[in-house]
Amino acid sequence: PDNPTLCTAAAKVLWVTSARPVFFDEAYLEDAFCAVESAVGNASSDPELLISSCGFIANAVTFGTAAKDAVPSKIPVNALRLKVEDPILFHQAGRVICALCIKQKKLVPKIIDKDFIQSLVDRFDSSSAEFLCAIYDVLIALGNLSDDFKQQILSFSCLELAKSHIQSSQPKKLIEKALELISVLASQKARTFPLPEDIFQVVMDVHSSFPDLLEHVSVVLRNLLISSIPASKQLNFESLVTFVTDIIDDQKNSLALRREACAILWAFTGRQKNQSQQNLKIMYKSLLSMMSLYNGEQQTYDSDLQAVASGALSRVTEIMGEIGLQMDLKSVAELMHLLYKILENDIDRLELLENILDAVLHLSKVDEEFIIQTGGIVVVIDIMVEHEQSESIQERGCRILAVLSSTKNIQVNCCITETDGIDMLVSSLANFSGNNSIQESACKALSNLSVDSEARMLITSQGGLMLIINAMNSNKDNMDMLEACCYALQLLISDVDEQMLSDPSIYETILCLMNEYPDAVSFQEKAIAVIQCFSMKNKEFKDRIGKAGGIPAVVRAMKEHLGDEALQTRGLATLWSLAVLQANQIEIASVGGIGPIVNAMMLHLMSASLQKQACGCLCSLSNHPDNKRLIREAGAMESLIFTMWAHYNSESVQAEACKVISHLAVNVAMNEVMLASLDEITCLVAAMRRYPKSERCQEYAVMALRNYLLSEDNIENVRNNADQLEQLLMSAASRFPEKCSERANQVLNTLMAN
């Protein structure tokens, strides 16, 4: 060890022999390490000895099986710290670090610290390209090892330094190393980071001086874009789009290079959403043209290219959908044709199908008519059928069908129904109950399709009702989905056989959700519609709903949302249906349901539909003697008068109002006749005069007058209209003898007798 010349010669022998493992006996490896370490310890700055020693250590680590504790790692580390500009020494020492990064990764963080990296970066001022390449090799190896090392290297402005080397007309080899370091540092997974000014343009400009580095440049651009901050000011969108699409469009470029260019667009559109319409159209056309070229018709089908290009296309179309950018029919038709070719050639490559379905989904939001016209429904369902057990495929398929069916186009619904679309939607609901997106989309699609009777039959026959209920129970916090489910149930229940509704969990789920979300106006209205559909099936369901708490739920919703006309109308219709049963009449009154009915009439006076439902509801409730008094005390008569004047031109409203008055005028059970006001009598006479040919108006107006005249106290108010009444009563008796004759004569006789 005291003879540096001899030690250097011996180290060279070890270096040479270790390069060929067959010539080197590893049994002596640890002894050789000890000897080298001892020799270097006595001549730590001897470059020749250090070069040979590092060369041997690099070979031993690369080709041998040395234990990490045995490797004299301080030798290369200290060599790289020397203040000498020796490219060969730095290259061999760097080889050791690179080998350790591959073979003994856990050792490297123990021997390399931030100060070491700082010492390397400080040498970037060298004018020797070979020396700089050796430094780059070490930094690249460390960067590839971990994100922690990447962060340390980035902290010393290495991206800026690498960019300056590229800009300073360096040799090609050094440019390659600088590009590689930029690519490695940009590939960190931890986070995005600020990029040096104009770094993208600098990297793209490399192509002008070194055309054969274009693929290398493409990889660097892709990684930079992945790490770029959204809306990065360092990036000229138009310049990048032109640069990349030129690569894609040039058929002279290799498939590998064009595939890498697609990856750039994928990263670009994934990070940078603020794209111009022109750029989006250029990217869409370029990607679709290349994918169509290699779809198996003109050129051999290329699966890997399709997979990457489809990923970029999905991102491009996502932005198009977000900004509402529509494509022409020809462009959409080309995409659908491509999808058919992918089905022929690559039906089992899921990530490719997922990307293409994403593109179809995004375009469906703005070009649904074109998607429909070009056969999009059929091809989407074909993919769903082929991959029925694939959750990702079913999720995308359900979302697309939900969008397309939302057009409420009869032809679209028929197409989905006739091509196994409903089967797939129901199957997805059953198979992927834990996937909220599938549950929501499938329920929305079934809701849209339920407007068709054939679709309703298919949905219910395949167990769709209970699957929708299960979806509601599993996604209680998704209000959009709950509303869609209610709409679907409303339509399905109207047609379905009563035996299929025997499970009480259907309406129990609805009532439970109504109690859970009392402030959700739209949901409450749709939920009440479901209750109404149940109630209208038969008396048994009216009884079930009443006993299950349906009446308090409806009344509470009406009280809470008095200002919502749609909810009030729906609530009144439901109470009207439920009030057919005497037990429900009592229940409605006991939970304070009469007051909300009268309030709704007054607040929504101009709604003929609401007034008609309210009158029907009051009429049914008045069949119970105790309710007659409650109805009058709630101010119903005043509301009825306002209603009849406000809707003088509505025959149905006039008829229903007359019917309510006829019921309220007399309480047989209590042996009471209500006192009539002059306004009430005037409204009845006006209805008879306005609709002389309406059997219902005439019948109920005559009945009300007859009932009032059962009390002498009402004769005077009726007689005030005697001049008109005689002719009106005679006309009613003549036109509708069966319904009006007897009562009309009773009224006339009473008036004449008094």
Side-chain angles (χ1 to χ4, degrees):
D2 297 330
N3 188 331
T5 303
L6 182 59
C7 287
T8 299
K12 284 184 179 179
V13 172
L14 290 173
W15 182 10
V16 173
T17 55
S18 62
R20 297 285 299 277
V22 294
F23 295 153
F24 190 83
D25 189 347
E26 286 201 22
Y28 298 100
L29 185 58
E30 291 193 18
D31 290 339
F33 279 161
C34 290
V36 168
E37 192 168 23
S38 177
V40 172
N42 291 326
S44 59
S45 60
D46 185 333
E48 292 298 323
L49 177 59
L50 287 172
I51 290 171
S52 300
S53 299
C54 288
F56 160 61
I57 297 170
N59 289 344
V61 174
T62 301
F63 304 120
T65 57
K68 66 178 180 180
D69 295 335
V71 178
S73 54
K74 290 184 179 180
I75 294 176
V77 172
N78 291 334
L80 290 168
R81 289 179 182 272
L82 292 176
K83 301 298 183 181
V84 297
E85 193 170 301
D86 188 331
I88 299 176
L89 173 58
F90 268 61
H91 174 65
Q92 294 303 326
R95 284 185 60 225
V96 180
I97 302 301
C98 293
L100 290 173
C101 286
I102 296 172
K103 301 296 286 286
Q104 298 192 19
K105 298 178 180 179
K106 293 183 179 180
L107 174 62
V108 178
K110 297 179 181 179
I111 62 174
I112 301 295
D113 57 18
K114 198 169 185 178
D115 290 339
F116 172 80
I117 295 174
Q118 174 74 75
S119 68
L120 290 180
V121 176
D122 288 344
R123 309 303 298 277
F124 264 149
D125 59 357
S126 172
S127 60
S128 169
E130 291 185 28
F131 184 74
L132 291 172
C133 284
I135 296 175
Y136 270 114
D137 284 336
V138 177
L139 293 176
I140 290 167
L142 292 174
N144 277 322
L145 185 62
S146 73
D147 277 356
D148 287 340
F149 278 127
K150 287 187 182 76
Q151 287 294 327
Q152 292 181 38
I153 297 169
L154 281 167
S155 69
F156 296 116
S157 303
C158 283
L159 278 180
E160 188 67 50
L161 292 169
K163 187 194 82 168
S164 66
H165 283 150
I166 295 173
Q167 289 176 299
S168 58
S169 301
Q170 295 287 351
K172 176 183 174 183
K173 182 66 176 177
L174 182 58
I175 299 294
E176 285 186 271
K177 295 295 182 182
L179 288 172
E180 187 174 356
L181 180 62
I182 293 173
S183 182
V184 168
L185 296 179
S187 65
Q188 65 167 321
K189 300 176 182 178
R191 62 177 180 84
T192 58
F193 49 88
L195 298 173
E197 187 176 350
D198 70 5
I199 189 169
F200 289 97
Q201 191 61 51
V202 169
V203 171
M204 288 189 287
D205 288 344
V206 171
H207 173 242
S208 301
S209 303
F210 303 102
D212 56 332
L213 291 183
L214 185 54
E215 189 166 343
H216 205 154
V217 166
S218 298
V219 174
V220 177
L221 287 175
R222 181 197 64 201
N223 288 342
L224 280 173
L225 286 164
I226 291 173
S227 297
S228 65
I229 297 173
S232 174
K233 296 181 179 179
Q234 286 76 23
L235 185 55
N236 184 312
F237 285 16
E238 285 69 24
S239 176
L240 180 68
V241 169
T242 301
F243 180 83
V244 178
T245 54
D246 283 348
I247 296 174
I248 294 174
D249 296 341
D250 189 349
Q251 296 187 32
K252 296 178 182 178
N253 290 326
S254 67
L255 279 179
L257 176 57
R258 299 169 78 188
R259 186 165 56 244
E260 191 61 53
C262 293
I264 294 174
L265 291 186
W266 195 348
F268 176 49
T269 49
R271 296 296 301 170
Q272 308 296 335
K273 302 286 189 181
N274 189 23
Q275 300 285 345
S276 70
Q277 292 190 9
Q278 182 64 22
N279 279 346
L280 290 169
K281 289 179 179 179
I282 291 172
M283 289 186 284
Y284 181 91
K285 180 181 177 182
S286 184
L287 289 166
L288 193 56
S289 296
M290 187 181 65
M291 294 175 74
S292 298
L293 181 62
Y294 292 93
N295 68 5
E297 292 179 330
Q298 302 177 55
Q299 300 287 346
T300 303
Y301 182 85
D302 190 292
S303 180
D304 290 339
L305 183 143
Q306 298 287 356
V308 178
S310 64
L313 190 67
S314 71
R315 292 295 188 184
V316 170
T317 53
E318 179 183 7
I319 302 173
M320 292 168 63
E322 289 173 354
I323 67 173
L325 175 59
Q326 291 183 304
M327 298 303 294
D328 55 75
L329 179 60
K330 181 180 178 182
S331 298
V332 177
E334 189 175 356
L335 176 63
M336 291 301 106
H337 179 70
L338 172 64
L339 189 45
Y340 275 109
K341 300 307 294 183
I342 290 173
L343 279 177
E344 290 179 14
N345 294 282
D346 229 353
I347 187 62
D348 294 323
R349 186 154 186 174
L350 289 183
E351 75 272 21
L352 170 56
L353 295 175
E354 289 167 1
N355 289 335
I356 288 291
L357 287 177
D358 280 338
V360 174
L361 172 62
H362 300 144
L363 290 179
S364 296
K365 297 175 181 178
V366 290
D367 290 314
E368 69 273 3
E369 292 299 330
F370 288 167
I371 296 291
I372 293 166
Q373 290 178 41
T374 54
I377 292 174
V378 176
V379 70
V380 168
I381 293 174
D382 284 347
I383 295 174
M384 294 178 72
V385 170
E386 189 68 30
H387 294 284
E388 187 171 356
Q389 299 306 314
S390 169
E391 185 170 349
S392 61
I393 295 295
Q394 296 303 311
E395 178 177 348
R396 288 163 172 81
C398 288
R399 292 179 66 188
I400 293 170
L401 293 181
V403 172
L404 297 181
S405 62
S406 67
T407 60
K408 304 294 176 67
N409 183 307
I410 296 177
Q411 291 181 333
V412 172
N413 289 0
C414 289
C415 183
I416 295 175
T417 302
E418 294 169 0
T419 53
D420 297 327
I422 289 178
D423 298 50
M424 289 299 98
L425 291 167
V426 173
S427 173
S428 294
L429 275 177
N431 293 336
F432 305 105
S433 58
N435 186 312
N436 293 345
S437 177
I438 287 179
Q439 296 293 303
E440 177 180 0
S441 300
C443 286
K444 285 184 175 179
L446 292 176
S447 174
N448 296 331
L449 295 170
S450 295
V451 297
D452 177 70
S453 59
E454 183 180 352
R456 291 198 293 271
M457 181 184 69
L458 283 173
I459 294 169
T460 53
S461 66
Q462 296 180 30
L465 269 174
M466 291 310 302
L467 288 172
I468 291 173
I469 289 297
N470 293 339
M472 295 179 76
N473 283 319
S474 301
N475 298 270
K476 292 183 178 181
D477 57 346
N478 188 333
M479 191 53 62
D480 285 343
M481 176 184 158
L482 293 179
E483 290 184 13
C485 288
C486 283
Y487 183 68
L489 291 172
Q490 174 190 346
L491 296 171
L492 294 172
I493 291 170
S494 62
D495 279 356
V496 73
D497 186 276
E498 293 172 3
Q499 292 183 345
M500 299 185 71
L501 300 175
S502 59
D503 191 335
S505 65
I506 300 177
Y507 53 80
E508 287 175 352
T509 295
I510 299 299
L511 293 174
C512 178
L513 290 169
M514 287 182 70
N515 291 330
E516 193 165 341
Y517 297 105
D519 297 328
V521 183
S522 181
F523 169 72
Q524 290 286 323
E525 187 268 327
K526 291 176 175 60
I528 293 173
V530 178
I531 301 302
Q532 178 190 359
C533 290
F534 265 106
S535 175
M536 294 179 72
K537 298 297 287 186
N538 57 39
K539 289 186 177 181
E540 181 183 351
F541 280 112
K542 297 181 197 298
D543 181 58
R544 288 188 186 183
I545 295 296
K547 291 178 178 177
I551 292 172
V554 174
V555 171
R556 181 174 58 250
M558 293 180 66
K559 288 180 178 179
E560 291 289 331
H561 307 288
L562 181 60
D564 190 277
E565 182 181 321
L567 184 146
Q568 294 297 318
T569 304
R570 184 71 70 179
L572 291 168
T574 305
L575 292 179
W576 185 1
S577 174
L578 291 170
V580 169
L581 297 185
Q582 187 178 59
N584 288 343
Q585 296 167 10
I586 297 171
E587 176 72 2
I588 291 171
S590 68
V591 298
I594 294 175
I597 297 171
V598 176
N599 292 338
M601 293 178 72
M602 293 300 292
L603 188 60
H604 303 284
L605 184 61
M606 301 313 297
S607 171
S609 175
L610 182 146
Q611 298 299 324
K612 181 179 177 181
Q613 302 295 338
C615 289
C617 191
L618 290 174
C619 190
S620 292
L621 288 172
S622 66
N623 286 323
H624 194 283
D626 291 342
N627 289 343
K628 293 180 184 287
R629 176 180 54 80
L630 294 174
I631 292 171
R632 291 187 70 99
E633 289 176 354
M637 293 308 301
E638 290 81 359
S639 296
L640 287 167
I641 291 169
F642 283 121
T643 295
M644 294 182 76
W645 285 124
H647 298 281
Y648 187 61
N649 292 321
S650 173
E651 178 185 340
S652 60
V653 172
Q654 294 293 320
E656 292 298 337
C658 289
K659 185 176 182 180
V660 178
I661 294 173
S662 72
H663 278 230
L664 295 176
V666 62
N667 190 334
V668 176
M670 301 293 184
N671 195 26
E672 293 177 349
V673 177
M674 307 300 176
L675 290 176
S677 69
L678 183 59
D679 288 335
E680 292 166 20
I681 302 301
T682 301
C683 284
L684 292 171
V685 173
M688 293 181 70
R689 184 175 62 247
R690 177 67 178 83
Y691 298 102
K693 297 180 181 180
S694 170
E695 182 181 66
R696 297 184 75 245
C697 275
Q698 298 298 314
E699 176 187 3
Y700 295 124
V702 171
M703 182 186 297
L705 291 170
R706 193 282 311 268
N707 289 345
Y708 274 132
L709 289 178
L710 293 175
S711 170
E712 294 182 357
D713 295 335
N714 291 323
I715 293 175
E716 190 61 33
N717 281 336
V718 176
R719 183 180 285 116
N720 287 334
N721 291 274
D723 293 343
Q724 301 178 63
L725 272 177
E726 183 176 356
Q727 184 59 41
L728 290 173
L729 289 167
M730 292 176 62
S731 175
S734 174
R735 276 199 174 96
F736 312 108
E738 184 177 343
K739 297 289 185 181
C740 299
S741 179
E742 181 179 350
R743 296 190 185 98
N745 288 328
Q746 290 175 348
V747 173
L748 288 170
N749 291 335
T750 301
L751 292 174
M752 291 174 64
N754 292 278

